[in-house]
PDB file of all heavy atoms in Angstrom:
ATOM      1  N   ASN A 210      24.941   7.409  -5.015  1.00 95.00           N
ATOM      2  CA  ASN A 210      24.342   6.265  -5.703  1.00 95.00           C
ATOM      3  C   ASN A 210      23.764   6.677  -7.053  1.00 95.00           C
ATOM      4  O   ASN A 210      23.460   7.849  -7.296  1.00 95.00           O
ATOM      5  CB  ASN A 210      23.276   5.600  -4.832  1.00 95.00           C
ATOM      6  CG  ASN A 210      22.111   6.513  -4.508  1.00 95.00           C
ATOM      7  OD1 ASN A 210      21.113   6.547  -5.227  1.00 95.00           O
ATOM      8  ND2 ASN A 210      22.210   7.267  -3.412  1.00 95.00           N
ATOM      9  N   LEU A 211      23.648   5.671  -7.888  1.00 95.00           N
ATOM     10  CA  LEU A 211      23.043   5.808  -9.208  1.00 95.00           C
ATOM     11  C   LEU A 211      21.772   4.960  -9.200  1.00 95.00           C
ATOM     12  O   LEU A 211      21.803   3.804  -8.759  1.00 95.00           O
ATOM     13  CB  LEU A 211      24.010   5.311 -10.289  1.00 95.00           C
ATOM     14  CG  LEU A 211      23.460   5.094 -11.705  1.00 95.00           C
ATOM     15  CD1 LEU A 211      23.053   6.417 -12.340  1.00 95.00           C
ATOM     16  CD2 LEU A 211      24.508   4.386 -12.570  1.00 95.00           C
ATOM     17  N   VAL A 212      20.668   5.524  -9.659  1.00 96.00           N
ATOM     18  CA  VAL A 212      19.389   4.811  -9.632  1.00 96.00           C
ATOM     19  C   VAL A 212      18.861   4.650 -11.051  1.00 96.00           C
ATOM     20  O   VAL A 212      18.758   5.628 -11.797  1.00 96.00           O
ATOM     21  CB  VAL A 212      18.347   5.565  -8.771  1.00 96.00           C
ATOM     22  CG1 VAL A 212      17.014   4.804  -8.777  1.00 96.00           C
ATOM     23  CG2 VAL A 212      18.858   5.745  -7.343  1.00 96.00           C
ATOM     24  N   PHE A 213      18.574   3.418 -11.413  1.00 95.00           N
ATOM     25  CA  PHE A 213      17.845   3.130 -12.649  1.00 95.00           C
ATOM     26  C   PHE A 213      16.393   2.851 -12.271  1.00 95.00           C
ATOM     27  O   PHE A 213      16.126   1.972 -11.442  1.00 95.00           O
ATOM     28  CB  PHE A 213      18.436   1.905 -13.361  1.00 95.00           C
ATOM     29  CG  PHE A 213      19.842   2.090 -13.852  1.00 95.00           C
ATOM     30  CD1 PHE A 213      20.925   1.718 -13.064  1.00 95.00           C
ATOM     31  CD2 PHE A 213      20.083   2.641 -15.109  1.00 95.00           C
ATOM     32  CE1 PHE A 213      22.224   1.869 -13.516  1.00 95.00           C
ATOM     33  CE2 PHE A 213      21.379   2.807 -15.569  1.00 95.00           C
ATOM     34  CZ  PHE A 213      22.451   2.430 -14.772  1.00 95.00           C
ATOM     35  N   GLU A 214      15.476   3.588 -12.857  1.00 95.00           N
ATOM     36  CA  GLU A 214      14.044   3.373 -12.621  1.00 95.00           C
ATOM     37  C   GLU A 214      13.428   2.812 -13.902  1.00 95.00           C
ATOM     38  O   GLU A 214      13.485   3.438 -14.964  1.00 95.00           O
ATOM     39  CB  GLU A 214      13.352   4.669 -12.231  1.00 95.00           C
ATOM     40  CG  GLU A 214      11.881   4.489 -11.931  1.00 95.00           C
ATOM     41  CD  GLU A 214      11.211   5.765 -11.453  1.00 95.00           C
ATOM     42  OE1 GLU A 214      11.921   6.770 -11.243  1.00 95.00           O
ATOM     43  OE2 GLU A 214       9.977   5.759 -11.288  1.00 95.00           O
ATOM     44  N   ILE A 215      12.863   1.624 -13.802  1.00 95.00           N
ATOM     45  CA  ILE A 215      12.333   0.926 -14.968  1.00 95.00           C
ATOM     46  C   ILE A 215      10.874   0.567 -14.700  1.00 95.00           C
ATOM     47  O   ILE A 215      10.556  -0.005 -13.654  1.00 95.00           O
ATOM     48  CB  ILE A 215      13.142  -0.361 -15.246  1.00 95.00           C
ATOM     49  CG1 ILE A 215      14.637  -0.043 -15.356  1.00 95.00           C
ATOM     50  CG2 ILE A 215      12.647  -1.047 -16.511  1.00 95.00           C
ATOM     51  CD1 ILE A 215      15.526  -1.265 -15.259  1.00 95.00           C
ATOM     52  N   LYS A 216      10.007   0.907 -15.631  1.00 95.00           N
ATOM     53  CA  LYS A 216       8.584   0.606 -15.489  1.00 95.00           C
ATOM     54  C   LYS A 216       8.190  -0.439 -16.516  1.00 95.00           C
ATOM     55  O   LYS A 216       8.431  -0.270 -17.708  1.00 95.00           O
ATOM     56  CB  LYS A 216       7.752   1.880 -15.665  1.00 95.00           C
ATOM     57  CG  LYS A 216       8.057   2.934 -14.604  1.00 95.00           C
ATOM     58  CD  LYS A 216       7.284   4.223 -14.824  1.00 95.00           C
ATOM     59  CE  LYS A 216       7.635   5.242 -13.751  1.00 95.00           C
ATOM     60  NZ  LYS A 216       6.908   6.524 -13.929  1.00 95.00           N
ATOM     61  N   HIS A 217       7.614  -1.520 -16.034  1.00 95.00           N
ATOM     62  CA  HIS A 217       7.155  -2.603 -16.898  1.00 95.00           C
ATOM     63  C   HIS A 217       5.652  -2.775 -16.738  1.00 95.00           C
ATOM     64  O   HIS A 217       5.112  -2.606 -15.649  1.00 95.00           O
ATOM     65  CB  HIS A 217       7.832  -3.934 -16.522  1.00 95.00           C
ATOM     66  CG  HIS A 217       9.306  -3.982 -16.767  1.00 95.00           C
ATOM     67  ND1 HIS A 217       9.854  -3.832 -18.018  1.00 95.00           N
ATOM     68  CD2 HIS A 217      10.342  -4.194 -15.912  1.00 95.00           C
ATOM     69  CE1 HIS A 217      11.171  -3.945 -17.937  1.00 95.00           C
ATOM     70  NE2 HIS A 217      11.486  -4.166 -16.673  1.00 95.00           N
ATOM     71  N   ARG A 218       4.988  -3.167 -17.833  1.00 95.00           N
ATOM     72  CA  ARG A 218       3.562  -3.469 -17.774  1.00 95.00           C
ATOM     73  C   ARG A 218       3.328  -4.921 -18.183  1.00 95.00           C
ATOM     74  O   ARG A 218       3.938  -5.413 -19.126  1.00 95.00           O
ATOM     75  CB  ARG A 218       2.761  -2.536 -18.692  1.00 95.00           C
ATOM     76  CG  ARG A 218       2.706  -1.119 -18.171  1.00 95.00           C
ATOM     77  CD  ARG A 218       1.961  -0.221 -19.128  1.00 95.00           C
ATOM     78  NE  ARG A 218       0.527  -0.470 -19.135  1.00 95.00           N
ATOM     79  CZ  ARG A 218      -0.312  -0.032 -18.204  1.00 95.00           C
ATOM     80  NH1 ARG A 218       0.144   0.664 -17.189  1.00 95.00           N
ATOM     81  NH2 ARG A 218      -1.597  -0.274 -18.281  1.00 95.00           N
ATOM     82  N   TYR A 219       2.471  -5.569 -17.418  1.00 95.00           N
ATOM     83  CA  TYR A 219       2.018  -6.927 -17.709  1.00 95.00           C
ATOM     84  C   TYR A 219       0.516  -6.800 -17.972  1.00 95.00           C
ATOM     85  O   TYR A 219      -0.314  -7.142 -17.124  1.00 95.00           O
ATOM     86  CB  TYR A 219       2.296  -7.846 -16.526  1.00 95.00           C
ATOM     87  CG  TYR A 219       3.761  -7.910 -16.112  1.00 95.00           C
ATOM     88  CD1 TYR A 219       4.396  -6.833 -15.496  1.00 95.00           C
ATOM     89  CD2 TYR A 219       4.511  -9.061 -16.321  1.00 95.00           C
ATOM     90  CE1 TYR A 219       5.717  -6.891 -15.110  1.00 95.00           C
ATOM     91  CE2 TYR A 219       5.844  -9.147 -15.928  1.00 95.00           C
ATOM     92  CZ  TYR A 219       6.437  -8.047 -15.329  1.00 95.00           C
ATOM     93  OH  TYR A 219       7.758  -8.110 -14.942  1.00 95.00           O
ATOM     94  N   ALA A 220       0.200  -6.261 -19.135  1.00 91.00           N
ATOM     95  CA  ALA A 220      -1.179  -5.839 -19.411  1.00 91.00           C
ATOM     96  C   ALA A 220      -2.174  -6.991 -19.327  1.00 91.00           C
ATOM     97  O   ALA A 220      -3.312  -6.813 -18.877  1.00 91.00           O
ATOM     98  CB  ALA A 220      -1.259  -5.176 -20.783  1.00 91.00           C
ATOM     99  N   ASN A 221      -1.760  -8.177 -19.727  1.00 93.00           N
ATOM    100  CA  ASN A 221      -2.692  -9.308 -19.690  1.00 93.00           C
ATOM    101  C   ASN A 221      -2.978  -9.785 -18.268  1.00 93.00           C
ATOM    102  O   ASN A 221      -3.903 -10.563 -18.040  1.00 93.00           O
ATOM    103  CB  ASN A 221      -2.160 -10.476 -20.523  1.00 93.00           C
ATOM    104  CG  ASN A 221      -0.834 -11.013 -20.002  1.00 93.00           C
ATOM    105  OD1 ASN A 221      -0.028 -10.266 -19.439  1.00 93.00           O
ATOM    106  ND2 ASN A 221      -0.598 -12.296 -20.193  1.00 93.00           N
ATOM    107  N   LYS A 222      -2.205  -9.278 -17.304  1.00 95.00           N
ATOM    108  CA  LYS A 222      -2.429  -9.588 -15.893  1.00 95.00           C
ATOM    109  C   LYS A 222      -2.892  -8.368 -15.103  1.00 95.00           C
ATOM    110  O   LYS A 222      -3.054  -8.443 -13.885  1.00 95.00           O
ATOM    111  CB  LYS A 222      -1.140 -10.123 -15.261  1.00 95.00           C
ATOM    112  CG  LYS A 222      -0.610 -11.410 -15.894  1.00 95.00           C
ATOM    113  CD  LYS A 222      -1.555 -12.581 -15.649  1.00 95.00           C
ATOM    114  CE  LYS A 222      -0.966 -13.872 -16.187  1.00 95.00           C
ATOM    115  NZ  LYS A 222      -1.858 -15.033 -15.959  1.00 95.00           N
ATOM    116  N   SER A 223      -3.092  -7.239 -15.780  1.00 96.00           N
ATOM    117  CA  SER A 223      -3.486  -5.975 -15.130  1.00 96.00           C
ATOM    118  C   SER A 223      -2.482  -5.579 -14.040  1.00 96.00           C
ATOM    119  O   SER A 223      -2.870  -5.157 -12.942  1.00 96.00           O
ATOM    120  CB  SER A 223      -4.894  -6.076 -14.537  1.00 96.00           C
ATOM    121  OG  SER A 223      -5.842  -6.362 -15.541  1.00 96.00           O
ATOM    122  N   VAL A 224      -1.200  -5.712 -14.367  1.00 97.00           N
ATOM    123  CA  VAL A 224      -0.144  -5.463 -13.388  1.00 97.00           C
ATOM    124  C   VAL A 224       0.882  -4.487 -13.958  1.00 97.00           C
ATOM    125  O   VAL A 224       1.239  -4.564 -15.137  1.00 97.00           O
ATOM    126  CB  VAL A 224       0.555  -6.778 -12.973  1.00 97.00           C
ATOM    127  CG1 VAL A 224       1.788  -6.505 -12.129  1.00 97.00           C
ATOM    128  CG2 VAL A 224      -0.413  -7.683 -12.207  1.00 97.00           C
ATOM    129  N   HIS A 225       1.337  -3.583 -13.104  1.00 96.00           N
ATOM    130  CA  HIS A 225       2.392  -2.627 -13.442  1.00 96.00           C
ATOM    131  C   HIS A 225       3.505  -2.777 -12.408  1.00 96.00           C
ATOM    132  O   HIS A 225       3.239  -2.978 -11.226  1.00 96.00           O
ATOM    133  CB  HIS A 225       1.827  -1.198 -13.402  1.00 96.00           C
ATOM    134  CG  HIS A 225       2.844  -0.133 -13.637  1.00 96.00           C
ATOM    135  ND1 HIS A 225       3.144   0.335 -14.895  1.00 96.00           N
ATOM    136  CD2 HIS A 225       3.638   0.561 -12.779  1.00 96.00           C
ATOM    137  CE1 HIS A 225       4.059   1.277 -14.804  1.00 96.00           C
ATOM    138  NE2 HIS A 225       4.379   1.424 -13.533  1.00 96.00           N
ATOM    139  N   LEU A 226       4.748  -2.702 -12.866  1.00 96.00           N
ATOM    140  CA  LEU A 226       5.903  -2.817 -11.975  1.00 96.00           C
ATOM    141  C   LEU A 226       6.754  -1.565 -12.051  1.00 96.00           C
ATOM    142  O   LEU A 226       7.141  -1.128 -13.137  1.00 96.00           O
ATOM    143  CB  LEU A 226       6.757  -4.035 -12.375  1.00 96.00           C
ATOM    144  CG  LEU A 226       8.143  -4.141 -11.707  1.00 96.00           C
ATOM    145  CD1 LEU A 226       8.015  -4.338 -10.201  1.00 96.00           C
ATOM    146  CD2 LEU A 226       8.958  -5.269 -12.337  1.00 96.00           C
ATOM    147  N   ASN A 227       7.059  -1.001 -10.896  1.00 95.00           N
ATOM    148  CA  ASN A 227       8.113  -0.005 -10.772  1.00 95.00           C
ATOM    149  C   ASN A 227       9.340  -0.723 -10.212  1.00 95.00           C
ATOM    150  O   ASN A 227       9.319  -1.204  -9.065  1.00 95.00           O
ATOM    151  CB  ASN A 227       7.711   1.120  -9.814  1.00 95.00           C
ATOM    152  CG  ASN A 227       6.811   2.133 -10.479  1.00 95.00           C
ATOM    153  OD1 ASN A 227       6.497   2.022 -11.662  1.00 95.00           O
ATOM    154  ND2 ASN A 227       6.376   3.119  -9.729  1.00 95.00           N
ATOM    155  N   ARG A 228      10.365  -0.841 -11.025  1.00 95.00           N
ATOM    156  CA  ARG A 228      11.585  -1.560 -10.624  1.00 95.00           C
ATOM    157  C   ARG A 228      12.722  -0.555 -10.475  1.00 95.00           C
ATOM    158  O   ARG A 228      12.959   0.268 -11.373  1.00 95.00           O
ATOM    159  CB  ARG A 228      11.937  -2.612 -11.674  1.00 95.00           C
ATOM    160  CG  ARG A 228      13.209  -3.424 -11.406  1.00 95.00           C
ATOM    161  CD  ARG A 228      13.215  -4.636 -12.320  1.00 95.00           C
ATOM    162  NE  ARG A 228      14.477  -5.346 -12.371  1.00 95.00           N
ATOM    163  CZ  ARG A 228      14.885  -6.248 -11.474  1.00 95.00           C
ATOM    164  NH1 ARG A 228      14.129  -6.508 -10.423  1.00 95.00           N
ATOM    165  NH2 ARG A 228      16.035  -6.871 -11.628  1.00 95.00           N
ATOM    166  N   TYR A 229      13.403  -0.603  -9.346  1.00 96.00           N
ATOM    167  CA  TYR A 229      14.503   0.316  -9.067  1.00 96.00           C
ATOM    168  C   TYR A 229      15.782  -0.499  -8.876  1.00 96.00           C
ATOM    169  O   TYR A 229      15.816  -1.474  -8.100  1.00 96.00           O
ATOM    170  CB  TYR A 229      14.228   1.134  -7.805  1.00 96.00           C
ATOM    171  CG  TYR A 229      12.986   1.988  -7.909  1.00 96.00           C
ATOM    172  CD1 TYR A 229      11.747   1.487  -7.525  1.00 96.00           C
ATOM    173  CD2 TYR A 229      13.045   3.289  -8.409  1.00 96.00           C
ATOM    174  CE1 TYR A 229      10.597   2.250  -7.633  1.00 96.00           C
ATOM    175  CE2 TYR A 229      11.900   4.064  -8.520  1.00 96.00           C
ATOM    176  CZ  TYR A 229      10.684   3.536  -8.132  1.00 96.00           C
ATOM    177  OH  TYR A 229       9.548   4.300  -8.245  1.00 96.00           O
ATOM    178  N   LEU A 230      16.835  -0.106  -9.590  1.00 95.00           N
ATOM    179  CA  LEU A 230      18.154  -0.702  -9.440  1.00 95.00           C
ATOM    180  C   LEU A 230      19.057   0.371  -8.851  1.00 95.00           C
ATOM    181  O   LEU A 230      19.302   1.409  -9.489  1.00 95.00           O
ATOM    182  CB  LEU A 230      18.698  -1.189 -10.783  1.00 95.00           C
ATOM    183  CG  LEU A 230      17.799  -2.181 -11.544  1.00 95.00           C
ATOM    184  CD1 LEU A 230      18.411  -2.497 -12.910  1.00 95.00           C
ATOM    185  CD2 LEU A 230      17.582  -3.460 -10.745  1.00 95.00           C
ATOM    186  N   ILE A 231      19.542   0.154  -7.639  1.00 95.00           N
ATOM    187  CA  ILE A 231      20.312   1.168  -6.909  1.00 95.00           C
ATOM    188  C   ILE A 231      21.766   0.730  -6.858  1.00 95.00           C
ATOM    189  O   ILE A 231      22.090  -0.336  -6.302  1.00 95.00           O
ATOM    190  CB  ILE A 231      19.750   1.366  -5.477  1.00 95.00           C
ATOM    191  CG1 ILE A 231      18.264   1.751  -5.531  1.00 95.00           C
ATOM    192  CG2 ILE A 231      20.557   2.422  -4.741  1.00 95.00           C
ATOM    193  CD1 ILE A 231      17.315   0.628  -5.250  1.00 95.00           C
ATOM    194  N   VAL A 232      22.655   1.534  -7.458  1.00 94.00           N
ATOM    195  CA  VAL A 232      24.072   1.188  -7.564  1.00 94.00           C
ATOM    196  C   VAL A 232      24.887   2.149  -6.706  1.00 94.00           C
ATOM    197  O   VAL A 232      24.759   3.374  -6.835  1.00 94.00           O
ATOM    198  CB  VAL A 232      24.563   1.288  -9.024  1.00 94.00           C
ATOM    199  CG1 VAL A 232      26.011   0.801  -9.133  1.00 94.00           C
ATOM    200  CG2 VAL A 232      23.662   0.498  -9.957  1.00 94.00           C
ATOM    201  N   THR A 233      25.725   1.606  -5.811  1.00 92.00           N
ATOM    202  CA  THR A 233      26.616   2.433  -5.005  1.00 92.00           C
ATOM    203  C   THR A 233      28.011   2.456  -5.633  1.00 92.00           C
ATOM    204  O   THR A 233      28.291   1.732  -6.588  1.00 92.00           O
ATOM    205  CB  THR A 233      26.685   1.898  -3.562  1.00 92.00           C
ATOM    206  OG1 THR A 233      26.983   0.500  -3.580  1.00 92.00           O
ATOM    207  CG2 THR A 233      25.353   2.103  -2.858  1.00 92.00           C
ATOM    208  N   GLU A 234      28.893   3.300  -5.083  1.00 90.00           N
ATOM    209  CA  GLU A 234      30.201   3.540  -5.705  1.00 90.00           C
ATOM    210  C   GLU A 234      31.063   2.290  -5.821  1.00 90.00           C
ATOM    211  O   GLU A 234      31.910   2.182  -6.714  1.00 90.00           O
ATOM    212  CB  GLU A 234      30.960   4.603  -4.907  1.00 90.00           C
ATOM    213  CG  GLU A 234      30.502   6.027  -5.185  1.00 90.00           C
ATOM    214  CD  GLU A 234      31.412   7.036  -4.513  1.00 90.00           C
ATOM    215  OE1 GLU A 234      31.495   7.030  -3.282  1.00 90.00           O
ATOM    216  OE2 GLU A 234      32.050   7.831  -5.237  1.00 90.00           O
ATOM    217  N   ASP A 235      30.861   1.325  -4.909  1.00 90.00           N
ATOM    218  CA  ASP A 235      31.684   0.115  -4.968  1.00 90.00           C
ATOM    219  C   ASP A 235      31.174  -0.886  -5.998  1.00 90.00           C
ATOM    220  O   ASP A 235      31.723  -1.986  -6.124  1.00 90.00           O
ATOM    221  CB  ASP A 235      31.772  -0.548  -3.592  1.00 90.00           C
ATOM    222  CG  ASP A 235      30.420  -1.047  -3.090  1.00 90.00           C
ATOM    223  OD1 ASP A 235      29.403  -0.840  -3.780  1.00 90.00           O
ATOM    224  OD2 ASP A 235      30.384  -1.633  -1.987  1.00 90.00           O
ATOM    225  N   GLY A 236      30.115  -0.517  -6.727  1.00 91.00           N
ATOM    226  CA  GLY A 236      29.598  -1.384  -7.768  1.00 91.00           C
ATOM    227  C   GLY A 236      28.518  -2.352  -7.313  1.00 91.00           C
ATOM    228  O   GLY A 236      28.032  -3.162  -8.103  1.00 91.00           O
TER     229      GLY A 236
END
Side-chain angles (χ1 to χ4, degrees):
N210 62 91
L211 167 67
V212 179
F213 295 93
E214 182 176 354
I215 306 165
K216 298 177 181 180
H217 294 299
R218 289 178 72 78
Y219 302 71
N221 62 329
K222 299 294 185 180
S223 300
V224 171
H225 176 90
L226 169 65
N227 280 359
R228 179 165 168 82
Y229 299 90
L230 304 176
I231 303 101
V232 185
T233 51
E234 282 188 298
D235 64 357

